[in-house]
Amino acid sequence: MPSPQRYAAMQEIHQRPLVDTPPIEPLEDLWARDVFTLAKMKAALPKDIFKSVQRTIKENGKLDVSVANAVAQAMKDWATSRGALYYAHVFYPLTNATAEKHDGFISPQGDGTVITELTGKLLVQGEPDGSSFPSGGLRTTFEARGYTAWDITSPAYLMETPNGLTLCIPTAFISWTGVALDKKTPLLRSNAAMNRQAQRLLRLLGETDVAPVNSTCGAEQEYFLVDSAHIPLRPDLLLAGRTLFGKPSAKGQQFDDHYFGAIPQRVQVFMQDVEHQLYKLGIPAKTRHNEVAPGQFEIAPFFEAANVATDHQQLIMTVLKSTARRHGMNCLLHEKPFEGINGSGKHVNWSVGNATQGNLLDPGSTPHENMQFLLFCGAVIRGVHKYGPLMRAAVATAGNDHRLGANEAPPAIISVYLGSQLEEVFNQIKQGDVRGTAQPGVMQLGVDTLPEFPKDPGDRNRTSPFAFTGNRFEFRAVGSNQSIAGPLVVLNTMLADSLGFVNDQLEQKMGAGMTLPDAAFEVLKQIMNDHGAVIFGGDGYSSEWHRMAVEERGLENLPTTADSLPVLQRPEVRELFERQGVLTPLELESRFEVYAEQYILAIDVEAKLAVQIARTQIYPAAMRYLGELASSMQAQKAVGLEVSSATQSKVASLSGKLMELSDSLEAAIANAPHGTLAHMRYSADTLMPLMHQVREAVDGLEALVDDNLWPLPSYQEMLFVR
Ligand code: ADP
Ligand code: MG
């Protein structure tokens, strides 16, 4: 029998009615209803003004004032006709969160009346008081205030909350001197850098009609659902987003019966509700299924331009969380909410392409396309080898450290998986002897055809952090709670850098009289010689790979955030971002500071919480149980029964240990060293292991103490009761 509070929570869950499903509407009525789409803009604006907007979007330019005024007016009319009274400049601070500054459309007229108003200036530029967002010292160095600027490539939309509708305008957040204070600005810059070099390569390859190249992204989001009734009894879930304690449930994921199983009805209703809202917001939610662990699920939208996909991804997280609450559940986006079962990631599917040449990471089927594909793919390989540690740094958070390197998620060593067929092609290029693959359809660069690559190769490798999946790469090491902007910035920037290298080499060799196919072959051969070590098709979880990667291939294994974040301070990384115009050294340093601080704070909160729960909830429960044991033993002795004190001594000794460890952890928190680097190391090497020891004592007690006295909802209850 669980404790009365836990029992009451389970009763509540059993009696919970299903929330009504949203009304069924045809998709075409629902789709993007709450988005100020280009179609709506076109209908509302004079032709020449709309044309000018289109041009601005295409060229990534700035809106001029008269156009901005007309757009603002049309946007406001649409929003107010739907009942919105407020608008918000939405921006993406360095904390992975989404921030909003709300303003009323109301404009008093001085004669006692009001009108609604949104001027072009207010649309294009807002001035949030963002001074309490972490900026790594950027704003103190420069200006106290920052401003938000509408990103015209990401459409405005209406956000519905119980207290009404708000017009949301996606923006970049910049200081008055142009310093990027957010995650969107570098993403736009990285895309521009990649576009410059990609266009240059396409022209070198003889293309004359070349549209702007954009990066694309489809991010698969994993999450857990836990009934809200458990949350007040779980301060760790409430404050840290993960369980700090909890004995594994006797049944976990070992039967693999949850993965792709039938979705529980209550969860299906929740998912429908989520999708209904996402469709209204013009977010192309496409797949949904159960994930590996009990209580774990996934949602994946169809891919979009990386910038829009990033804004949409933030909205997906917001909608998942708020909708779960309405259904009496909490959506956990933490990377490792429960020990002993799988954690959650966000697979970032990424490619680059344009309107004229299509997806540039699609192998295609003609020799001409092959050369283009191989050069783009080769550039990615070079990038991953040169900047693998930077990719690791881009996914470094306290939460994700629990996932990476464990036997369920990609290792903390960044390698690239190509699939056996493509790997063979690249190996032949390296040997300078392109004879063809075991598969039919022999390739010869620029002469014969590449064998057609299956779009979804059967030999998918789930243990690779970065895998080619037919026509895109899948970065699987990204954390479920993270903004995808950072990882995309790194991918775009390192590709820009490698394409720049390829372009320089091609120009040089062709300038010296080489033919294009010969020059391309030479460049690819060089890339394979210098960077082929990063290609790995085997088991990324194996200890053999961990040894081989480091000792034989010279790849870095960066298991924790403390190991990987300092990569942002390496000279080659600083130069990369500066050369590509993505982040200035100062902007990069500020990111290091903010992310390091977040890591330190996350572990500090968890450690304090562990001490608090251990002392005020677990120890008292254990003492009460010892009291009960003592009196029942006395009663047994009184009637002459033989009494064993085995349980008693186990509980007593674990309880004593628990208090000792809590004291040590508390002292350790207080003794943390000054200085970012030292404090990060200390969090990883001292606080985390101590917390783990406290956990072992608590979980040991959970296995002994009377369930009726145990205060924390068990894994079993949280994962299986719904
Ligand atoms: P899986 O679970 O097998 O990896 P999913 O279908 O769940 O596959 O997710 C694949 C994701 O990859 C989807 O979001 C899909 O839209 C996206 N994707 C497909 N093509 C591209 C592309 N060219 N660029 C970026 N993402 C893509
Ligand atoms: Mg996937």
Side-chain angles (χ1 to χ4, degrees):
M1 182 77 178
S3 74
Q5 293 88 339
R6 283 162 48 209
Y7 186 73
M10 285 189 269
Q11 289 290 91
E12 189 184 327
I13 296 166
H14 272 294
Q15 285 154 16
R16 223 184 258 299
L18 278 185
V19 176
D20 287 340
T21 39
I24 294 178
E25 293 175 81
L27 184 59
E28 52 274 24
D29 290 348
L30 199 59
W31 179 250
R33 182 154 77 205
D34 293 348
V35 184
F36 193 56
T37 55
L38 279 178
K40 290 193 182 94
M41 221 187 276
K42 188 175 180 184
L45 290 174
K47 230 188 192 144
D48 54 324
I49 300 224
F50 179 70
K51 277 226 169 94
S52 161
V53 172
Q54 269 185 317
R55 207 174 324 114
T56 312
I57 292 176
K58 209 174 143 203
E59 289 160 10
N60 258 325
K62 244 193 151 120
L63 272 189
D64 84 67
V65 190
S66 63
V67 175
N69 276 331
V71 174
Q73 174 82 30
M75 202 188 272
K76 185 221 72 182
D77 287 346
W78 169 73
T80 51
S81 78
R82 294 284 310 275
L85 292 177
Y86 279 81
Y87 68 96
H89 277 204
V90 175
F91 57 103
Y92 310 93
L94 299 182
T95 53
N96 288 319
T98 307
E100 294 163 5
K101 160 96 187 313
H102 291 233
D103 277 292
F105 288 120
I106 186 168
S107 171
Q109 295 301 291
D111 59 356
T113 64
V114 293
I115 59 165
T116 56
E117 188 176 54
L118 179 68
T119 62
K121 190 166 170 285
L122 285 173
L123 167 66
V124 173
Q125 193 162 308
E127 196 184 325
D129 181 19
S131 47
S132 50
F133 285 105
S135 71
L138 275 184
R139 247 156 320 140
T140 39
T141 328
F142 285 91
E143 311 273 341
R145 297 179 82 81
Y147 70 92
T148 49
W150 181 31
D151 167 19
I152 191 169
T153 59
S154 188
Y157 56 91
L158 289 170
M159 194 64 183
E160 198 174 345
T161 57
N163 41 1
L165 287 161
T166 304
L167 172 69
C168 292
I169 303 162
T171 63
F173 184 34
I174 314 159
S175 85
W176 287 111
T177 47
V179 178
L181 300 170
D182 67 344
K183 286 183 178 274
K184 183 186 270 291
T185 310
L187 179 55
L188 294 172
R189 290 180 188 160
S190 73
N191 205 69
M194 184 278 299
N195 173 39
R196 274 193 294 277
Q197 297 299 343
Q199 290 210 33
R200 200 178 140 208
L201 178 53
L202 290 172
R203 294 224 155 78
L204 279 173
L205 293 177
E207 300 290 350
T208 47
D209 185 15
V210 181
V213 180
N214 208 339
S215 47
T216 50
C217 172
E220 304 159 56
Q221 171 80 55
E222 293 176 338
Y223 59 93
F224 278 86
L225 290 173
V226 170
D227 195 282
S228 306
H230 299 304
I231 305 294
L233 303 175
R234 270 283 177 177
D236 46 0
L237 279 186
L238 189 70
L239 291 189
R242 77 172 176 108
T243 55
L244 298 173
F245 305 124
K247 180 176 69 70
S249 159
K251 180 180 171 181
Q253 63 192 42
Q254 63 272 56
F255 294 104
D256 277 336
D257 54 354
H258 184 67
Y259 193 40
F260 283 95
I263 301 173
Q265 194 191 9
R266 192 174 160 205
V267 176
Q268 263 191 50
V269 173
F270 159 79
M271 285 175 168
Q272 267 164 16
D273 196 348
V274 166
E275 285 150 17
H276 182 87
Q277 293 173 70
L278 294 180
Y279 287 159
K280 281 199 299 178
L281 291 166
I283 299 174
K286 180 118 167 73
T287 59
R288 51 153 116 137
H289 57 80
N290 288 358
E291 261 302 324
V292 176
Q296 192 187 27
F297 307 92
E298 180 185 294
I299 181 169
F302 201 77
F303 74 93
E304 301 177 277
N307 175 38
V308 176
T310 303
D311 292 356
H312 281 172
Q313 224 291 306
Q314 294 292 115
L315 271 173
I316 289 175
M317 292 197 282
T318 305
V319 169
L320 281 174
K321 282 193 265 190
S322 62
T323 309
R325 294 311 300 272
R326 268 198 287 116
H327 290 248
M329 296 186 282
N330 276 47
C331 175
L332 306 180
L333 293 177
H334 194 283
E335 285 78 9
K336 192 75 177 177
F338 302 98
E339 200 151 281
I341 54 174
N342 275 13
S344 301
K346 187 139 56 192
H347 297 176
V348 170
N349 293 274
W350 165 81
S351 187
V352 294
N354 68 1
T356 40
Q357 279 73 38
N359 181 353
L360 297 167
L361 286 172
D362 191 330
S365 50
T366 69
H368 170 73
E369 282 170 332
N370 284 350
M371 195 194 309
Q372 176 188 299
F373 164 72
L374 288 173
L375 286 169
F376 273 91
C377 190
V380 174
I381 294 169
R382 176 184 177 274
V384 180
H385 187 242
K386 279 196 79 161
Y387 301 110
L390 175 59
M391 289 170 68
R392 170 64 184 92
V395 298
T397 64
N400 213 17
D401 280 0
H402 294 284
R403 231 184 114 235
L404 297 182
N407 245 13
E408 45 145 308
I413 304 166
I414 303 292
S415 62
V416 58
Y417 170 79
L418 295 178
S420 53
Q421 201 181 359
L422 189 54
E423 187 174 330
E424 206 177 326
V425 170
F426 271 102
N427 276 332
Q428 289 177 0
I429 291 174
K430 183 176 176 184
Q431 278 139 26
D433 183 17
V434 185
R435 254 172 312 168
T437 68
Q439 286 87 348
V442 175
M443 84 146 269
Q444 187 116 72
L445 194 69
V447 183
D448 288 336
T449 64
L450 252 191
E452 272 219 58
F453 285 96
K455 277 279 175 293
D456 203 3
D459 57 344
R460 290 189 119 190
N461 183 324
R462 298 237 156 241
T463 67
S464 173
F466 194 65
F468 183 69
T469 51
N471 61 356
R472 62 187 185 268
F473 281 91
E474 182 173 353
F475 192 11
R476 305 179 59 240
V478 181
S480 50
N481 210 3
Q482 257 193 286
S483 156
I484 57 174
L488 287 169
V489 166
V490 168
L491 295 178
N492 284 340
T493 308
M494 69 186 206
L495 180 59
D497 178 73
S498 282
L499 289 174
F501 167 83
V502 169
N503 290 331
D504 291 347
Q505 292 291 313
L506 286 181
E507 276 172 5
Q508 215 175 41
K509 293 184 201 304
M510 283 155 73
M514 238 187 229
T515 64
L516 174 62
D518 283 350
F521 184 82
E522 288 276 301
V523 175
L524 286 169
K525 189 161 179 254
Q526 189 184 340
I527 286 179
M528 280 306 290
N529 275 328
D530 296 347
H531 306 290
V534 80
I535 299 170
F536 179 62
D539 179 2
Y541 297 164
S542 69
S543 51
E544 172 56 11
W545 168 238
H546 282 69
R547 189 198 59 75
M548 190 209 296
V550 176
E551 289 172 19
E552 291 168 23
R553 307 241 191 144
L555 304 180
E556 288 184 67
N557 184 3
L558 302 170
T560 72
T561 299
D563 300 296
S564 50
L565 262 191
V567 169
L568 298 186
Q569 297 184 311
R570 292 185 186 173
E572 72 267 23
V573 168
R574 206 177 304 137
E575 283 154 22
L576 168 74
F577 281 120
E578 194 173 24
R579 193 168 54 238
Q580 296 302 331
V582 175
L583 290 169
T584 65
L586 203 76
E587 287 170 335
L588 183 62
E589 182 60 21
S590 78
R591 274 145 188 84
F592 167 76
E593 283 294 335
V594 172
Y595 303 153
E597 186 182 46
Q598 303 254 304
Y599 172 72
I600 291 166
L601 286 177
I603 293 178
D604 185 63
V605 166
E606 288 183 352
K608 285 176 178 156
L609 203 52
V611 173
Q612 178 197 315
I613 297 172
R615 277 193 190 145
T616 64
Q617 293 196 274
I618 306 301
Y619 186 74
M623 289 304 107
R624 231 171 283 143
Y625 184 49
L626 279 179
E628 277 185 10
L629 279 179
S631 53
S632 85
M633 279 164 75
Q634 230 163 19
Q636 285 170 307
K637 269 190 201 143
V639 294
L641 286 174
E642 208 173 294
V643 179
S644 155
S645 59
T647 306
Q648 201 179 23
S649 15
K650 274 193 219 162
V651 174
S653 116
L654 272 176
S655 308
K657 215 172 180 184
L658 177 65
M659 285 317 259
E660 262 172 48
L661 287 165
S662 303
D663 290 348
S664 315
L665 180 53
E666 187 178 54
I669 298 168
N671 286 331
H674 292 291
T676 308
L677 284 171
H679 200 161
M680 273 208 293
R681 271 264 65 93
Y682 184 80
S683 303
D685 300 342
T686 304
L687 297 181
M688 288 300 292
L690 262 175
M691 260 164 63
H692 187 75
Q693 286 183 328
V694 173
R695 174 175 197 138
E696 278 177 344
V698 172
D699 294 357
L701 284 168
E702 187 179 353
L704 294 168
V705 170
D706 182 355
D707 197 32
N708 193 248
L709 298 172
W710 195 256
L712 304 175
S714 67
Y715 271 28
Q716 183 177 316
E717 288 156 18
M718 291 186 290
L719 294 171
F720 291 99
V721 180
R722 69 178 100 258

